[in-house]
Amino acid sequence: DAKTTQPPSMDCAEGRAANLPCNHSTISGNEYVYWYRQIHSQGPQYIIHGLKNNETNEMASLIITEDRKSSTLILPHATLRDTAVYYCIVYGFGNEKLTFGTGTRLTIIP
Amino acid sequence: DAEITQSPRHKITETGRQVTLACHQTWNHNNMFWYRQDLGHGLRLIHYSYGVQDTNKGEVSDGYSVSRSNTEDLPLTLESAASSQTSVYFCASSETGMTEAFFGQGTRLTVV
């Protein structure tokens, strides 16, 4: 399984953009990058995913480097409700099990 | 609206008892997963299934079993509950072909 590396914690000021990095240097050609977050003790929530192009939805943007070895999740205008643990996961066709790492604990500072 | 539900939400059981946690989804998803999450830790995969009659072990499967007799349900059984299995358990489902996964609200299990 492709492994991911994320910083254990980050702070971001409310209203600013939160940029969460993820390294996935062993990603293979058919594997996607997925981001989920877990707010307090709730079940994880899907945010966004991508293969090689940058993606944007109503929640966030995903920037994937050209060599696909790393990516950045961007929350454009962070609010207090974005305080959560963010997980970067890599998986692909034929290996669709979600394996979570330790994630990044993002704290939004008022 | 389609959903995924876990039951019970909270359970206290005694060491050595058999316990079954239910997971039911109405999306008709092929993939279903069970995780446990201990305080201060990430989610660890217990068992998963890619369809009816298919089950696979995850990274922490010892002491747990699952069965998939239909698309909607993946019950998780603790054969003989141990205190080390006190945890919060999450169930998830996704469709084949790399779509997003949906998670249940979690079951908090305490083994005394």
Side-chain angles (χ1 to χ4, degrees):
Chain A
D1 296 343
K3 301 294 185 185
T4 61
T5 304
Q6 299 177 253
S9 64
M10 295 180 63
D11 293 339
C12 179
E14 186 178 17
R16 304 296 294 268
N19 295 275
L20 293 90
C22 179
N23 287 319
H24 32 78
S25 58
T26 60
I27 191 171
S28 60
N30 66 345
E31 290 183 320
Y32 287 69
V33 180
Y34 276 74
W35 284 83
Y36 288 80
R37 73 180 181 184
Q38 187 175 26
I39 297 174
H40 193 42
S41 56
Q42 299 175 21
Q45 173 192 24
Y46 164 83
I47 301 173
I48 197 168
H49 74 280
L51 182 62
K52 56 182 179 180
N53 297 319
N54 297 339
E55 301 288 345
T56 296
N57 63 20
E58 65 277 5
M59 289 182 66
S61 294
L62 174 61
I63 308 298
I64 302 174
T65 58
E66 190 169 347
D67 63 7
R68 302 209 322 122
K69 293 185 177 181
S70 66
S71 61
T72 301
L73 176 74
I74 301 172
L75 307 178
H77 304 288
T79 70
L80 297 178
R81 287 178 290 182
D82 291 323
T83 292
V85 178
Y86 288 76
Y87 296 97
C88 168
I89 306 168
V90 172
Y91 59 105
F93 290 104
N95 178 25
E96 296 179 21
K97 63 179 181 178
L98 290 76
T99 303
F100 287 80
T102 53
T104 296
R105 181 173 298 278
L106 175 67
T107 302
I108 305 303
I109 310 298
Chain B
D1 286 345
E3 60 181 2
I4 180 167
T5 55
Q6 296 182 230
S7 61
R9 294 294 310 278
H10 301 272
K11 185 171 180 65
I12 300 174
T13 191
E14 295 179 343
T15 300
R17 290 193 178 269
Q18 183 181 81
V19 177
T20 296
L21 308 183
C23 177
H24 179 80
Q25 52 99 0
T26 59
W27 280 290
N28 205 36
H29 285 164
N30 285 323
N31 303 336
M32 295 186 73
F33 309 87
W34 272 106
Y35 299 86
R36 62 175 288 174
Q37 185 170 38
D38 302 301
L39 191 63
H41 292 81
L43 293 97
R44 292 184 289 172
L45 184 62
I46 305 172
H47 281 286
Y48 59 102
S49 168
Y50 289 149
V52 176
Q53 302 301 330
D54 176 75
T55 60
N56 307 279
K57 294 182 178 180
E59 56 184 311
V60 290
S61 60
D62 287 350
Y64 303 93
S65 64
V66 293
S67 61
R68 188 88 182 270
S69 59
N70 59 52
T71 300
E72 296 80 15
D73 299 289
L74 187 70
L76 177 71
T77 298
L78 287 69
E79 303 295 342
S80 177
S83 58
S84 60
Q85 294 176 309
T86 291
S87 189
V88 178
Y89 292 85
F90 289 100
C91 177
S93 73
S94 68
E95 185 46 81
T96 304
M98 308 311 301
T99 60
E100 65 190 271
F102 295 87
F103 284 77
Q105 323 94 299
T107 294
R108 183 175 297 277
L109 176 68
T110 302
V111 182
V112 298

